[in-house]
Structures are given as C-alpha cells and as structure tokens.
Amino acid sequence: PRGKLAALPGEGTGVRRTAGKPDRLLLARRVEMELKNRGETMKKWSVVFGVLAFIPAAWAGPVLRWDGTETIPQFRRFDAAGKQDQAVPAAVRDAETGRFRYVFDGRSLLAASHKLNGAQTLRVQVRFKAPPQGVLLARNRPAEGVRGFEFGFSGRHHSDFRGSSPAGFISDGYARGIVGILGTGIECRPGVRYEYIVRFEPGKFCAVTVIDRSSGEIVYGGSVPCPAVGALAEKAGNRLLCVGGRRSHSRLCEYLVPEGTEIFGITVWDRALTIPELRRELGLPEGSAVKEHPAAVRFVDPVSGDDANAGISPEKPFRSIGRAVAAAAPGDTVKLAPGIYFEQVNILRGGTPEA
C-alpha cells in the first residue's frame, strides 16, 4: 500500500524508503557513499602513480634496440648525397652466429629519430673489413646551435675521423662547448668484433669504452669531464641518430665507415649505465676492470709543433700547452720544448691513473 515503509536490499534495517517514492535521506546517503568510494579509488590510483614515479631507472629497458633481426625498422638509409631510401634496411644472416648483421656499402649510413638530450648510453657492435675509420655514432651537424656528438675512429684529432684510434666529442650545441676524447696509442684492427659504447652524464662526464668481444678485453676506456655540457642542444643533429657516418646537412653525408663494415646490434638507453651495469650488459665477470688507456707522453714545441699532430712523439709535437693538456689523461706526462708560450692554461681533468 502507498506510504508503507520497506527495507532496501543490502542496506539493512536502518535505512528505509517509502514504497514507490525514494526517501531523500536515502538518496543523500547513496550519493555520499558513491563519492566516498570514488575518492578511495582516486587515492589508490594516486598511490599507484606515485610508486611508478619512483621506480628505479635501472628497471627501465632500452629506448631503442636492434639486436640482429632480419630488418631494422627504426632506421632509414641515407646515401652520401643525403637522399633517404624509404625502404626498411635489410640485414643478412651471419654464418658464424646464425643471427643477422647489417653490411655498409661505404656510400651510405643509417639514421633513426633520437630526442634524448640528457643522460644516455649508446652501444653498437661492429666489425671492420678494412682498417677502422669513420664515424660510428653521431647526432651532429657542423653548425652553431645544432652541434651534438660524434664518435668513431680517428688518427690525429678528436674530430678528424680518418684513423683507427677511438675518438669523438660532445657539445652543448656550439663550437666553444666541444669536449673531445682521443685514444692516442690505441689502434683497433679489422676483422675484430668490437663493442663500442658511449656514456654521457650531463654536467659530469662523457666516456668511451671499446671491448674486444672475442676475448672480452676492454681495449680502451677513456672519459673526459664535461661540466659545461648540461644537455645536448634540443635540435642537435636535427634529432637524428646516425650510425656509420655523419649527416652534415640535407645533401651531404660524410665520414662514412668503409665498405664491408658490419654491425650486429645497436642499443640506446636513456641513462648513463654504471660500470657494474655495463659489465652485466656485456657479459663480463664482476671482477673485470675497465682499463684506461696506457699512460702516454705528450710533446709540445712552440716553434715546430702543430696542434693537428698526434703529439706523442718529439718529431710530431703539439704547438700549444693547452692542446697537450686537453689530450692528456691522468697519469700522462707533458714535455715542453724550450721556448716562449703565450697562453693561459686551464687543467680541467684531475685524478690518478687508477681512478
């Protein structure tokens, strides 16, 4: 009958309604309970998002990886004239491992989108058919505001990639901010499979490590402080990561690796891997040490020297003390020939040979 009170299912006897017409108090309570439930749900999601925000970076995987599959979908091929091939680059099967490898023709490079401006680690596994030379990893254009990094093999200077010594540089976008690395005295050889790794920690250091995969020996490990490089320029290298050369501008790719050069894998992380992480990635035992390049002697002569020289012999010395200091690592010796030096020298790299 109209007006009779009845209990709502699930609400117990403490909440009643008039049959055919809901009680206003009941509606208010239901709305209150619904808002409370939604509030608890939002709190739970807030906790979940908060936990996700504090997940250690070490749990994150690579942001880019090609590891010996038949195609390299993230990359596109550019020829020496800068023309892009729209087809996905294809790899060939390696008879030794059964996995796939990409073979460069000496007239082109590979490029993929790269927007990381902060901490990062880049890795490429490579084997040269001819004596190593050229750029292996680059996000750089030789113009102010868009300079970034280039790493490969050089002979005399960190930006002259026509030799077999590990070398390269990183910049904040401008020429004045370039910090270079040159593994003087280290000669990499054709026919050897190398792991070439670059690590960058903004405002702290940039490091290059080269490992002989067959023996597991770290043949070169060098780093330079880069306190002025707090990040890569936003438009460095037009946001393209090049492998096997440098894309200087839209109509020119240069410092290409020699014909027959093979790569077996490319990996990019959005953090600077620590040495223990690097050991695990490379399958090295925990006791392995990252061996720095052996101590060298740098020669300087203000009369007969040339800063384009290697500076490691009295016959081909540097001209300036500043150039020698920039090339020297902890444990190295700089020998000065008699003469007058008009320059102000800043020594930025400290430490010991064992550090």
Side-chain angles (χ1 to χ4, degrees):
R2 187 176 181 82
K4 184 178 179 181
L5 295 177
L8 275 174
E11 294 288 353
T13 58
V15 180
R16 296 177 177 272
R17 71 175 179 181
T18 302
K21 184 182 292 185
D23 188 277
R24 293 192 179 190
L25 181 61
L26 172 62
L27 284 176
R29 182 178 175 188
R30 292 191 68 130
V31 170
E32 181 183 358
M33 291 179 65
E34 182 67 20
L35 291 175
K36 182 178 179 182
N37 290 337
R38 292 187 181 185
E40 291 299 324
T41 301
M42 292 305 295
K43 287 180 182 178
K44 291 176 182 177
W45 278 111
S46 297
V47 171
V48 171
F49 287 128
V51 170
L52 289 175
F54 286 97
I55 289 178
W59 294 6
V63 297
L64 186 152
R65 179 191 288 256
W66 173 72
D67 225 358
T69 54
E70 191 170 0
T71 59
I72 314 177
Q74 305 97 321
F75 287 82
R76 290 296 180 269
R77 178 179 172 274
F78 288 81
D79 64 21
K83 184 178 179 180
Q84 179 181 346
D85 186 347
Q86 297 298 328
V88 176
V92 296
R93 190 179 294 276
D94 181 51
E96 180 183 330
T97 65
R99 305 189 71 179
F100 288 89
R101 55 190 167 84
Y102 181 83
V103 184
F104 288 96
D105 59 9
R107 303 183 301 277
S108 62
L109 56 78
L110 297 179
S113 175
H114 184 275
K115 299 180 181 179
L116 294 177
N117 300 321
Q120 54 193 284
T121 300
L122 305 100
R123 171 190 180 191
V124 60
Q125 189 179 135
V126 62
R127 179 169 63 192
F128 287 86
K129 183 178 180 180
Q133 67 171 351
V135 171
L136 267 184
L137 294 163
R139 182 185 161 189
N140 182 64
R141 295 186 77 165
E144 294 298 270
V146 291
R147 299 179 190 272
F149 62 76
E150 284 183 13
F151 293 95
F153 294 92
S154 180
R156 302 189 308 170
H157 192 265
H158 61 253
S159 61
D160 178 20
F161 296 94
R162 291 174 289 187
S164 298
S165 299
F169 64 85
I170 194 163
S171 168
D172 61 353
Y174 299 89
R176 67 174 185 274
I178 290 177
V179 180
I181 296 177
L182 178 59
T184 305
I186 304 298
E187 295 291 326
C188 294
R189 309 184 307 277
V192 178
R193 190 182 298 197
Y194 292 106
E195 291 280 5
Y196 195 110
I197 300 108
V198 177
R199 298 181 295 135
F200 170 52
E201 187 66 68
K204 295 182 179 179
F205 69 87
C206 185
V208 174
T209 308
V210 181
I211 298 98
D212 181 335
R213 284 300 303 178
S214 61
S215 65
E217 178 189 5
I218 298 176
V219 299
Y220 175 72
S223 66
V224 290
C226 51
V229 185
L232 296 176
E234 181 67 27
K235 296 182 179 179
N238 284 68
R239 302 188 183 97
L240 281 180
L241 171 64
C242 296
V243 179
R246 177 182 79 188
R247 188 168 181 256
S248 298
H249 54 76
S250 60
R251 296 185 180 181
L252 177 64
C253 295
E254 55 185 343
Y255 290 129
L256 303 173
V257 294
E259 180 182 2
T261 300
E262 307 161 300
I263 56 171
F264 300 84
I266 306 166
T267 315
V268 179
W269 293 265
D270 58 356
R271 57 197 171 90
L273 291 173
T274 64
I275 295 302
E277 288 171 330
L278 186 56
R279 290 184 183 127
R280 288 193 294 271
E281 282 293 326
L282 301 175
L284 297 173
E286 286 299 317
S288 296
V290 175
K291 183 177 68 176
E292 298 292 330
H293 67 283
V297 177
R298 317 284 175 168
F299 296 87
V300 185
D301 191 317
V303 177
S304 64
D306 187 336
D307 282 348
N309 289 338
I312 56 174
S313 69
E315 292 75 25
K316 292 186 176 181
F318 292 130
R319 186 179 186 85
S320 67
I321 301 173
R323 177 68 183 88
V325 167
D332 290 355
T333 300
V334 176
K335 291 191 174 182
L336 307 180
I340 300 175
Y341 297 84
F342 295 98
E343 58 182 299
Q344 180 177 346
V345 180
N346 296 316
I347 301 176
L348 301 177
R349 191 183 312 173
T352 66
E354 295 77 24

